[in-house]
């Protein structure tokens, strides 16, 4: 292996000798729209274009109501969710449970070694509930990131994905997001940019929705006060990681 | 790369005679083109973005060794492991060793051109592992026991009726030609595979040097599940797939989606930075296999620009040759214009010297390429290489040598033209030749050939001069 | 006759010379009618494109040097009634002779003053209407090297649109290659035929009675295919229809 490493790098090095080092001109960064309402309108429009369903809310109670309605309309019995403290609206899970939905808890990290078996039960969930660390107006994308209270399969396995996004986290473009939130990638090992529901065109280039991931994506775009702690993992990373300690306690809390 | 059994010409004949293939290609080509045009049009300054994308790729390639080292250091610092593989065999062994030492029995894969290139599936299967492809198109062709015919749409050579029949035969479901039903069948069949596999294997669209992140995109979400559910993840990556920073990545993702499928962004764009860290799910081990397999040798050569390719597939869809023969006739995993450059460049000893000939040099590929790769120029370079190395058809060399002698001596040229004229005029019918001897017969199989004019342009000009001299 | 202020040399190309002199004569007449003084350098043969496209670079280089010497005898602009040969002179000569100290700069100079015919008419003479007239239903096939090599997209159609009494109809899949590609048509005969057939179907579908292109290679390929089909659609070089008047 080491032999190959050296040999490959050596060949690359000798090949580029004398070759000009091309510089890459920096694009004029798109001026982020100051006008936040048009940014949000754009986000909604683009998200709907790619097939997501967007709901907006400026009151916490209304948000809870909307989520319950979406779950109810879809006939959801079993729900998997990010942990309450990782959701912008922690009381959502309890409200769902009070409404008769069964909450399927994700395995704790310690037990998760046997992920397949643990998760096989999760695979029967009808819906996944998550927060989001960002939105991209230009493409109608939501940005999700993994973490101790934020299992990835919540947004991948169930046929319905409900995601709560705070409007202040909507960025104009992917480039703008990368520029501002680069730290996110240091502390979260899986950052997912999701643009609409799962789709394929592998059969004669005919569009079909929901092949592996969710068939339906509901985005709840909220303007009201939210649980501030997990809005952006980036802040946490910047102040140094307190990962394991407080995470574990939070896990305990959820159980 | 395995050598195909038939000659290239035979494969072309075969493809041209395949009625089903033609139906499939006709149905999809147009949809592809419409989508891409719409996709690029949605970028306010498409040309600027393409220029930037190109310069990012060329810049990276010109300092590839440094970026690879940086990438390796960062993958390692977040807890991943990097393995370097000089060739296909070494790469396959690395993956097989990982599987064996961790008692893996089942492997789920998401589409990866690199693993097609090294024939990883065969290696793993003969090593006793269960391997299932999870991309719908790949799943279909795996069931059919075939190889992909398109970089991003592996089953594009099949009609929906053929696929319906295949699923009915292999999975015992009722026959249907409805893509929605077929997709649902595949979804449920693959669910268990994701959850029961101990190892996931994916490709990598881009590796980010500054963070050690792997960017993997799919519309189906199958790569997301592949990199999440199994305990161990192995990402197969060509050494050219590095980008310096997250900002660069953003630009590349933008042009990739638009050129490949006309979307603004692929549905699932996953950035994996190391294995899970106290998370309830995600892989516990993350391995990156960096594959060379002939790439490093191309850096700085006439065909070095192929390393800038981001495998969007746009040049295949635009290519009039690909539209006629599909991907399989190329005989290698990389088909279409980019394949005609990449295959002979990566595998110099292989029987590929005819691939660069399979182009009319119309330039449609160069026009659509999001990173503006000059494919025709490289096809020409490869043709010249064939001539230099003596692999070219001898009569081609003789004909052009004679032609050159004549073309640099005007009197000889005129003589030659008259001789050919005399010859052609012996056989013509209404000014056209209906049949020519081999090798020119391949022209007259479907077209008539013009005879030399009774008075050439230069003869007319000479008369005109003499005429004006008389005045 | 307007006062002569423009002067050019005509590089007719080998295919025009031997196969379709009418295109060369029409080009000459058209330019002269527009008041351009035209020199036709004697001794011109072939630009070397066929050898270049076949990978025979040494032969291509010899022909390129020969042609450059020929065209360097006069400093006036060069007009070529062929998209692919102009593209060869404009783009490929430089690459081919980049390492030849004696010819690199000459190649640059020649490239800088070479124009394909429709390019010259629209970019230099700035004419869009040459006063032609004919009763034809015309469809235009943009040849690949003109379109994508030289980037000439609209000039030929504009010139055709201006022809009195003619009707221009659009060609389905116009920008698709006709499958000629020089020696490609022979080396990959079957493939080339399949591409040609698609083009011929499109021509028939367009309802035109005349197909016009700016490259004699494509013209002879399309014409040969139409003849084999027994079609009565005729094939013309742009210059040939632009000099028509009844
Ligand atoms: S050569 Fe260009 S168009 Fe073709 S696959 Fe690569 S990036 Fe896409």
């Amino acid at each position: 292996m080491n032999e190959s490493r050296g040999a490959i790098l050596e060949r690359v090095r000798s090949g580029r000798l004398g070759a000009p080092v091309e510089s890459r001109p920096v694009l004029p960064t798109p001026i982020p729209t100051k006008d936040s309402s048009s940014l949000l309108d754009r986000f909604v429009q683009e998200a709907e274009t790619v097939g997501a369903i967007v709901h907006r809310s400026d009151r916490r109670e209304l948000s809870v109501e909307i989520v319950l309605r979406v779950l109810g309309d879809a006939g959801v019995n079993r729900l998997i969710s990010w942990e309450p403290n990782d959701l912008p609206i922690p009381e959502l899970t309890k409200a769902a449970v009070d409404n008769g939905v069964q909450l399927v808890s994700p395995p704790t990290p310690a037990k998760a070694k046997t992920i397949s078996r643990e998760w096989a039960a999760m695979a029967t969930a009808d819906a996944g509930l998550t927060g989001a660390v960002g939105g991209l107006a230009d493409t109608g994308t939501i940005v999700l990131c993994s973490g101790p209270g934020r299992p990835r399969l919540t947004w991948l396995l169930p046929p319905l994905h409900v995601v709560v996004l705070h409007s202040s986290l909507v960025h104009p473009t992917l480039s703008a997001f990368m520029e501002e939130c680069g730290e996110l990638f240091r502390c979260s090992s899986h950052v997912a940019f999701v643009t609409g529901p799962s789709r394929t065109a592998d059969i004669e280039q005919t569009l079909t929705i929901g092949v592996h991931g969710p068939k339906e994506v509901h985005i709840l775009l909220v303007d009201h006060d939210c649980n501030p702690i997990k809005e952006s993992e980036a802040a946490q990373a910047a102040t140094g990681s307190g990962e394991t300690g407080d995470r574990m306690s939070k896990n305990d809390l959820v159980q | 790369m395995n050598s195909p059994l038939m000659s290239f010409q035979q494969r072309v004949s075969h493809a041209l005679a395949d009625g089903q293939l033609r139906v499939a290609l006709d149905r999809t080509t147009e949809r592809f083109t419409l989508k891409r045009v719409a996709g690029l049009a949605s970028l306010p300054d498409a040309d600027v973005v393409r220029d930037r994308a190109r310069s990012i790729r060329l810049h990276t390639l010109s300092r590839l060794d440094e970026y690879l080292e940086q990438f390796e250091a960062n993958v390692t610092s977040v807890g991943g492991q990097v393995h370097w593989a000089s060739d296909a065999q070494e790469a396959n062994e690395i993956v097989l060793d990982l599987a064996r030492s961790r008692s893996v029995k089942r492997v789920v894969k998401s589409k990866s051109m690199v693993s097609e290139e090294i024939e990883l599936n065969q290696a793993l299967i003969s090593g006793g592992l269960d391997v299932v492809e999870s991309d719908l198109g790949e799943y279909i062709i795996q069931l059919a026991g075939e190889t992909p015919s398109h970089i991003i749409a592996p089953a594009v050579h099949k009609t929906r009726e053929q696929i319906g029949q295949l699923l009915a035969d292999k999975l015992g479901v009722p026959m249907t030609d409805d893509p929605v039903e077929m997709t649902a069948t595949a979804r449920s069949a693959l669910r268990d595979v994701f959850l029961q596999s101990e190892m996931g294997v994916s490709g990598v669209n881009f590796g980010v040097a500054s963070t050690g992140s792997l960017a993997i995109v799919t519309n189906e979400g199958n790569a997301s599940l592949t990199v999440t559910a199994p305990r161990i993840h192995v990402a197969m990556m060509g050494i050219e797939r590095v980008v310096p920073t997250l900002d660069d990545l953003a630009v590349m993702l933008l042009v990739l989606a638009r050129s490949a499928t006309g979307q603004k962004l692929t549905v699932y764009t996953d950035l994996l930075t190391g294995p899970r860290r106290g998370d309830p799910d995600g892989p516990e081990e993350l391995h990156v296999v960096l594959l060379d397999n002939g790439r490093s040798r191309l850096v700085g050569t006439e065909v070095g620009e192929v390393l800038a390719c981001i495998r969007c597939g746009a040049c295949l869809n635009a290519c009039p040759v690909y539209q006629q023969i599909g991907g399989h006739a190329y005989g290698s995993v990389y088909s279409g214009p980019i394949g005609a450059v990449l295959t002979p460049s990566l595998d110099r000893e292989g029987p590929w010297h005819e691939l660069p000939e399979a182009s009319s040099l119309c330039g449609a590929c160069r026009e659509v390429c999001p990173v503006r790769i000059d494919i025709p120029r490289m096809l020409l370079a490869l043709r010249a290489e064939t001539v230099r190395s003596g692999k070219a058809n001898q009569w081609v060399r003789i004909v052009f040598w004679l032609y050159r002698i004549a073309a640099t001596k005007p009197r000889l040229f005129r003589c030659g033209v008259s001789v050919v004229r005399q010859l052609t005029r012996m056989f013509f019918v209404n000014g056209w030749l209906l049949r020519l001897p081999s090798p020119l017969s391949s022209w007259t199989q479907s077209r008539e050939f013009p005879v030399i004019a009774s008075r050439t342009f230069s003869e007319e000009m000479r008369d005109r001069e003499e005429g004006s001299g008389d005045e | 006759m307007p006062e002569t202020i423009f002067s050019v040399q005509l590089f007719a190309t080998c295919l025009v010379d031997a196969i379709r002199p009418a295109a060369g004569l029409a080009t000459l007449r058209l330019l002269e009618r527009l008041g351009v003084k035209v020199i036709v350098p004697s001794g011109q043969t072939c630009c070397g494109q066929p050898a270049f496209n076949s990978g025979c670079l040494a032969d291509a280089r010899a022909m390129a040097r020969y042609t450059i010497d020929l065209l360097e005898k006069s400093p006036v602009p060069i007009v070529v009634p062929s998209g692919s040969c102009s593209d060869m002179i404009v783009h490929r000569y430089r690459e081919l002779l980049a390492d030849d100290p004696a010819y690199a700069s000459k190649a640059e100079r020649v490239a800088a003053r070479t124009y394909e015919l429709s390019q010259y008419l629209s970019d230099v003479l700035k004419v869009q209407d040459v006063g032609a007239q004919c009763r034809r239903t015309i469809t235009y096939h943009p040849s690949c090297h003109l379109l994508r090599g030289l980037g000439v997209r609209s000039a030929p159609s504009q010139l055709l649109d201006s022809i009195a009494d003619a009707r221009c109809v659009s060609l389905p899949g116009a920008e698709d290659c006709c499958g000629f590609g020089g020696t490609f048509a022979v080396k990959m005969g079957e493939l080339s035929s399949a591409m040609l057939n698609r083009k011929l179907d499109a021509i028939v579908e367009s309802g035109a009675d005349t197909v016009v292109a700016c490259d004699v290679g494509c013209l002879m390929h399309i014409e040969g295919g139409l003849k084999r089909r027994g079609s009565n659609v005729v094939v013309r070089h742009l210059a040939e229809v632009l000099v028509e008047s009844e």
Side-chain angles (χ1 to χ4, degrees):
Chain A
M1 178 193 121
N2 269 336
E3 244 169 67
S4 291
R5 180 185 190 277
I8 293 169
L9 287 172
E10 190 43 48
R11 278 194 297 270
V12 169
R13 214 166 278 139
S14 64
R16 81 168 171 94
L17 270 190
V21 176
E22 310 265 348
S23 68
R24 43 196 217 290
V26 174
L27 271 189
T29 17
I31 302 141
T33 330
K34 279 280 165 318
D35 175 2
S36 83
S37 80
S38 78
L39 190 69
L40 294 182
D41 288 346
R42 181 77 198 276
F43 173 78
V44 173
Q45 186 196 335
E46 293 295 335
E48 284 174 347
T49 306
V50 294
I53 299 158
V54 185
H55 311 264
R56 300 187 65 165
S57 159
D58 51 7
R59 278 182 304 119
R60 228 166 144 129
E61 307 76 53
L62 179 62
S63 298
V64 175
E65 218 179 290
I66 291 172
V67 171
L68 292 181
R69 200 177 60 229
V70 170
L71 297 179
D73 287 352
V76 170
N77 292 319
R78 290 164 62 81
L79 177 72
I80 48 179
S81 170
W82 281 6
E83 287 179 14
N85 284 340
D86 284 281
L87 292 173
I89 308 171
E91 63 268 31
L92 272 178
T93 41
K94 187 170 177 302
V97 171
D98 290 347
N99 222 31
V101 174
Q102 187 191 347
L103 192 63
V104 187
S105 307
T108 59
K111 277 165 67 189
K113 276 247 180 307
T114 51
I115 178 165
S116 317
R117 248 169 296 136
E118 291 283 330
W119 280 98
M122 314 292 140
T124 59
D126 312 307
L129 177 62
T130 72
V133 285
L136 311 179
D138 191 35
T139 50
T141 304
I142 46 170
V143 190
L144 302 145
C145 73
S146 70
R150 298 185 298 268
R152 312 160 197 212
L153 289 170
T154 39
W155 71 77
L156 290 170
L157 275 181
L160 169 67
H161 176 202
V162 182
V163 48
V164 184
L165 168 67
H166 195 273
S167 61
S168 64
L169 299 175
V170 175
H171 297 255
T173 61
L174 178 61
S175 298
F177 182 86
M178 292 296 196
E179 208 163 287
E180 277 179 51
C181 305
E183 279 303 314
L184 182 64
F185 300 89
R186 294 196 194 286
C187 55
S188 177
S189 65
H190 188 156
V191 177
F193 297 84
V194 178
T195 311
S198 160
R199 58 150 114 182
T200 184
D202 269 352
I203 301 176
E204 285 189 3
Q205 289 298 298
T206 309
L207 186 64
T208 311
I209 299 297
V211 54
H212 290 298
K215 292 184 178 64
E216 262 184 54
V217 176
H218 286 259
I219 303 170
L220 174 58
L221 185 61
V222 300
D223 276 328
H224 53 71
D225 270 2
C226 275
N227 206 12
I229 48 164
K230 298 299 170 278
E231 272 183 0
S232 168
E233 198 74 4
Q236 221 184 37
T239 58
S241 160
E243 288 265 290
T244 358
D246 65 55
R247 287 306 175 163
M248 290 310 289
S249 59
K250 199 157 58 67
N251 262 319
D252 294 339
L253 236 160
V254 181
Q255 296 304 312
Chain B
M1 273 176 235
N2 269 346
S3 308
L5 296 173
M6 293 187 283
S7 78
F8 180 64
Q9 296 281 3
Q10 284 170 319
R11 300 196 302 270
V12 168
S13 303
H14 223 262
L16 289 174
D18 183 341
Q20 296 268 22
L21 174 64
R22 314 199 62 72
V23 173
L25 287 172
D26 283 350
R27 282 185 191 164
T28 52
T29 302
E30 203 177 332
R31 285 179 206 154
F32 259 133
T33 310
L34 292 175
K35 284 186 206 168
R36 183 190 53 78
V37 171
L40 279 176
S42 70
L43 271 183
D45 40 8
D47 279 338
V48 182
V49 179
R50 281 168 76 186
D51 286 341
R52 170 130 168 94
R54 176 178 172 78
S55 65
I56 289 171
R57 295 299 292 138
L58 294 183
H59 164 81
T60 312
L61 291 173
S62 74
R63 300 175 53 181
L64 187 58
D65 50 332
E66 293 168 25
Y67 284 123
L68 279 170
E69 284 174 312
Q70 192 191 351
F71 175 72
E72 179 190 36
N74 281 319
V75 170
T76 313
S77 75
V78 292
Q81 283 183 52
V82 175
H83 310 260
W84 300 72
S86 284
D87 54 21
Q89 196 194 341
E90 191 178 1
N92 288 335
E93 273 163 19
I94 291 168
V95 184
L96 205 53
D97 282 350
L98 284 171
R100 286 210 175 111
S101 60
R102 286 153 177 82
S103 322
V104 169
K105 297 202 172 51
R106 289 164 157 260
V107 177
V108 62
K109 280 192 65 208
S110 68
K111 202 170 79 64
S112 142
M113 289 309 290
V114 160
S115 63
E116 293 290 342
E117 174 186 330
I118 62 175
E119 296 175 344
L120 177 64
N121 283 11
Q122 288 89 315
L124 295 182
I125 290 168
S126 45
L129 295 166
D130 252 359
V131 183
V132 179
E133 291 285 353
S134 61
D135 171 84
L136 178 60
E138 291 271 351
Y139 179 66
I140 291 167
I141 59 166
Q142 193 187 22
L143 284 180
E146 294 173 5
T147 54
S149 66
H150 190 288
I151 297 178
I152 64 155
V156 74
H157 58 287
K158 289 186 130 33
T159 62
R160 57 173 185 273
E161 295 84 359
Q162 287 176 315
I163 297 169
Q165 193 58 54
L166 178 73
L167 293 178
D169 292 348
K170 299 279 176 177
L171 302 179
V173 293
M175 162 70 195
T176 170
D177 67 353
D178 176 10
V180 176
E181 263 179 65
M182 291 188 252
T183 303
T185 303
R187 177 184 169 111
S188 64
L190 285 164
R191 258 313 136 101
D192 292 344
V193 174
F194 283 121
L195 294 171
Q196 285 163 10
S197 297
E198 298 95 353
M199 180 188 269
V201 174
S202 71
V204 174
N205 293 90
F206 301 101
V208 184
S210 67
T211 60
S213 307
L214 308 173
I216 305 168
V217 309
T218 63
N219 275 323
E220 300 182 0
N222 62 309
S224 319
L225 283 164
T226 302
V227 303
T228 299
R231 194 156 45 84
I232 299 153
H233 187 71
V234 182
M236 310 297 295
M237 173 173 163
I239 54 165
E240 81 283 15
R241 290 321 196 76
V242 201
V243 291
T245 65
L246 291 166
D247 286 337
D248 296 321
L249 176 70
V251 176
M252 299 318 299
L253 290 173
L254 208 68
V255 294
L256 175 61
R258 286 172 216 240
S259 304
T261 55
Q263 291 162 273
K264 289 189 172 173
L265 203 58
T266 315
V267 177
Y268 294 95
T269 300
D270 292 297
L271 262 78
L272 223 57
T273 313
R276 72 161 93 157
R277 289 168 246 172
D279 310 13
D281 55 6
E284 289 157 32
E285 289 180 36
L286 181 71
H287 300 270
V288 183
V289 178
L290 277 175
L291 176 74
D292 183 348
N293 209 26
R295 290 167 170 77
S296 60
R297 225 179 29 213
L298 304 181
V299 175
T301 66
E302 271 185 310
V303 292
E305 207 184 326
V306 286
L307 298 175
C309 170
I310 59 172
R311 308 279 190 271
C312 72
C315 59
L316 279 63
N317 307 328
C319 175
V321 171
Y322 182 92
Q323 285 167 19
Q324 292 293 339
I325 61 175
H328 285 150
Y330 289 83
S332 115
V333 286
Y334 300 110
S335 60
I338 187 65
V341 177
L342 198 54
T343 306
S345 304
L346 290 181
D347 180 15
R348 280 203 274 194
E349 307 310 320
W352 308 114
H353 70 272
E354 276 182 307
L355 292 186
E357 305 287 343
S359 166
S360 63
L361 304 174
C362 77
C365 48
R366 182 182 50 205
E367 192 178 51
V368 298
C369 177
V371 281
R372 300 189 195 284
I373 296 179
D374 193 346
I375 294 177
R377 188 186 59 71
M378 290 189 285
L379 291 171
L380 286 165
L382 289 169
R383 289 180 186 184
E385 176 57 35
T386 307
V387 169
R388 253 198 309 272
S389 66
K391 282 188 205 141
N393 192 322
Q394 282 310 311
W395 71 257
V396 172
R397 303 185 58 177
I398 294 166
V399 164
F400 281 113
W401 181 74
L402 288 172
Y403 188 58
R404 157 216 185 150
I405 303 282
T408 49
K409 302 198 171 47
R411 214 171 302 146
L412 191 60
F413 191 75
R414 282 201 299 275
C415 276
V417 170
S418 322
V419 171
V420 177
R421 171 161 55 202
Q422 294 312 319
L423 275 173
T424 58
R425 298 222 148 226
M426 287 160 68
F427 302 102
F428 75 110
V429 180
N430 294 333
W432 293 87
L433 295 164
L434 309 189
R435 216 172 311 143
L436 286 169
S438 172
L440 296 174
S441 56
S442 66
W443 176 289
T444 47
Q445 260 159 21
S446 63
R447 300 149 281 200
E448 302 186 356
F449 197 83
V451 294
I452 305 284
S454 55
R455 302 185 54 70
T456 63
F457 182 70
S458 49
E459 284 163 348
E460 294 277 0
M461 287 303 103
R462 214 171 25 202
D463 292 358
R464 187 169 111 134
E465 256 166 52
E466 280 163 13
S468 64
D470 286 349
E471 271 168 27
Chain C
M1 189 105 181
E3 204 183 323
T4 302
I5 40 167
F6 293 99
S7 157
V8 299
Q9 43 183 337
L10 175 61
F11 182 71
T13 78
C14 61
L15 283 181
V16 165
D17 184 48
I19 307 279
R20 204 171 181 100
L25 293 170
T27 304
L28 185 61
R29 215 168 334 134
L30 178 64
L31 288 170
E32 286 180 343
R33 194 186 280 173
L34 293 168
V36 179
K37 182 172 179 303
V38 185
I39 322 165
V40 183
S42 71
Q44 52 178 284
T45 57
C46 168
C47 67
Q49 189 193 181
F52 179 70
N53 286 355
S54 296
C56 300
L57 298 193
D59 303 323
R61 244 175 235 124
M63 289 186 249
R65 287 194 197 100
Y66 176 82
T67 303
I68 288 174
D69 285 338
L70 183 95
L71 297 173
E72 277 277 272
K73 284 184 192 147
S74 156
V76 300
I78 299 140
V79 172
V80 187
S82 156
S84 60
C85 306
S86 323
D87 186 51
M88 176 77 190
I89 297 172
V90 171
H91 291 130
R92 304 302 187 185
Y93 275 14
R94 304 171 174 186
E95 293 170 21
L96 207 47
L97 298 167
D99 297 330
D100 181 336
Y103 278 86
S105 60
K106 287 189 199 170
E108 294 283 345
R109 281 205 298 273
V110 167
R113 57 193 169 91
T114 296
Y115 300 86
E116 184 276 333
L117 173 64
S118 67
Q119 211 177 20
Y120 184 76
L121 296 178
S122 79
D123 296 0
V124 181
L125 297 186
K126 311 239 184 270
V127 286
Q128 277 178 10
D129 183 349
V130 295
Q133 179 266 329
C134 67
R135 270 176 233 289
R136 294 177 182 277
T137 306
I138 298 174
T139 196
Y140 170 65
H141 164 68
S143 60
C144 300
H145 286 84
L146 179 63
L147 182 69
R148 286 178 280 260
L150 296 172
V152 176
R153 260 204 155 83
S154 54
S157 318
Q158 274 167 5
L159 288 160
L160 289 169
D161 278 338
S162 73
I163 301 177
D165 298 337
R167 195 162 71 89
C168 291
V169 293
S170 68
L171 180 64
E175 296 190 357
D176 294 343
C177 177
C178 74
F180 174 60
T183 49
F184 170 76
V186 173
K187 283 190 196 159
M188 299 277 157
E190 233 184 312
L191 196 46
S192 156
S193 301
M195 290 157 71
L196 174 62
N197 272 324
R198 186 154 96 169
K199 182 57 68 180
L200 297 181
D201 290 344
I203 290 170
V204 171
E205 199 186 321
S206 76
D209 56 33
T210 306
V211 193
V212 171
C214 300
D215 205 305
V216 171
C218 311
L219 287 174
M220 79 174 199
H221 191 229
I222 292 172
E223 192 172 23
L226 288 168
K227 288 278 178 241
R228 177 61 58 88
R229 284 192 178 192
S231 161
N232 44 22
V233 175
V234 300
V235 162
R236 292 287 179 271
H237 187 275
L238 177 73
E240 294 173 48
V241 290
L242 291 184
V243 292
E244 282 185 76
S245 57
E246 282 163 9

